[in-house]
Amino acid sequence: MVKRSSAPWTVTDGRAGNVRQAIALASALRQGTHRPLVLQPRAPWRWLSPRRLPGDVNGYGPDFAELAAQAPALAIGCGRQAAGALRVLRARGSRTVQILDPRLPSRHWDLVVVPEHDALRGSNVLTLVGSLNPVDDDWLALGRAAFADFGALPGPRTALLVGGPTPLAPWDEAAMVAVFTALAEQIRSEGGSLLATTSRRTPPALAEILRATFAHQPHVIWGDGGDGVNPYAGLLGWANRVVVSPDSVNLLSEASATRLPVMVALADTAQGRLARFQRQLHERGRLQTRWLDWQHDRIKPLRETARVAAEVSARLTLA
């Protein structure tokens, strides 16, 4: 009889947002060190997942086929590719937790975790406000310790988290440049510094404008690639306030998990589920209601990961 691994496996397509959510849940379950697996799907599974097809044990790459042969006790996946792979593992005896709507009935997985701003519901569907993430007081303290030199930057320190335009948040680059200019003017007038990060989706020209706008002010600006170790935890750990672009549920969830005032730049460009998520945060009093008019009183952090992990553990009777 094959002995199954007790530590949860995280199964993803390797996209940063999906990896982050799967790891956050696996870590919060306190089942020991999680084990990551990045899928390498081939046609036709790359297109048709999470639907099952004959031979799908070999449809997601050799590493997955090896994992499926041992059927781990618990597998946590995030994203559409992972949803298909989890179906294979469940058929072989694994318990499976799918994060994000798989676009098929939830009965194909043991549990499905989705944000409240999505429509999926069911007896085995768990909902949360925003997205799963690792941000809590300990994570922020580790970020401060790892990037202690950020503490020498003058305050107030403003964290700026910039993604990129998407169909659900088609913001204009010129409008974002105006945001940079307004923020730079506030820092010039009141003092302080900038702690900024961009992403793979940030237009390269916009990233360069960001650097030029704050070139003569105290700052740390990290881009996705070529800038050394990602200081994201340090940025949020040392910040006094946060400005987030409107295109990412993950970025806004993580900012809202701090105890800092949070402002969404170009918020009115958000549509669909992004707009619904912003409304949820406004209803909770978690977002600033006026641009750059920072309110620090009675901020309650949005921390859903521990609650979801506790419910997953209870539903699956994990030790």
Side-chain angles (χ1 to χ4, degrees), residues 179-189 213-214 217:
V179 170
F180 297 165
T181 301
L183 186 54
E185 179 56 35
Q186 183 176 56
I187 291 175
R188 273 193 295 270
S189 66
T213 302
F214 293 92
Q217 294 176 311

Side-chain angles (χ1 to χ4, degrees), residues 51-289:
R51 290 171 176 79
R52 294 206 64 184
L53 297 170
D56 53 7
V57 70
N58 296 310
Y60 296 95
D63 291 342
F64 176 75
E66 183 177 345
L67 176 65
Q70 298 186 13
L74 176 62
I76 299 168
C78 186
R80 183 173 57 85
Q81 299 293 344
L86 290 188
R87 292 189 67 188
V88 177
L89 294 178
R90 190 177 188 227
R92 291 167 172 254
S94 298
R95 287 179 292 181
T96 58
V97 180
Q98 165 63 21
I99 303 167
L100 299 182
D101 189 345
R103 307 299 180 185
L104 285 178
S106 63
R107 67 175 181 272
H108 297 297
W109 299 268
D110 290 291
L111 293 174
V112 178
V113 180
V114 299
E116 285 185 5
H117 55 252
D118 283 353
L120 183 66
R121 296 293 185 270
S123 61
N124 67 333
V125 176
L126 310 181
T127 63
L128 74 156
V129 177
S131 62
L132 298 163
N133 64 76
V135 181
D136 60 16
D137 292 337
D138 289 341
W139 186 88
L140 292 166
L142 289 172
R144 289 191 295 272
F147 297 93
D149 53 328
F150 291 0
L153 291 168
R157 291 177 286 269
T158 303
L160 175 62
L161 315 180
V162 183
T166 68
L168 289 180
W171 50 266
D172 181 73
E173 291 183 42
M176 188 60 76
V177 171
V179 170
F180 297 165
T181 301
L183 186 54
E185 179 56 35
Q186 183 176 56
I187 291 175
R188 273 193 295 270
S189 66
E190 71 179 15
S193 54
L194 179 80
L195 304 172
T197 180
T198 59
S199 76
R200 289 187 180 93
R201 294 186 294 102
T202 307
L206 186 64
E208 290 305 314
I209 292 172
L210 171 64
R211 293 180 185 277
T213 302
F214 293 92
H216 301 294
Q217 294 176 311
H219 70 269
V220 171
I221 298 176
W222 188 87
D224 193 359
D227 289 337
V229 177
N230 188 339
Y232 184 60
L235 300 187
L236 289 181
W238 283 106
N240 301 109
R241 56 204 189 188
V242 189
V243 177
V244 190
S245 65
D247 47 88
S248 172
V249 170
N250 287 348
L251 286 179
L252 186 50
S253 296
E254 290 163 359
S256 298
T258 71
R259 300 180 186 274
L260 307 173
V262 177
M263 170 65 65
V264 181
L266 308 180
D268 58 353
T269 65
Q271 304 170 16
R273 61 185 179 85
L274 293 177
R276 291 194 293 273
F277 179 40
Q278 285 188 35
R279 285 196 296 271
Q280 288 180 314
L281 293 178
H282 277 295
E283 290 167 359
R284 288 171 170 247
R286 189 60 192 89
L287 294 183
Q288 298 294 111
T289 56

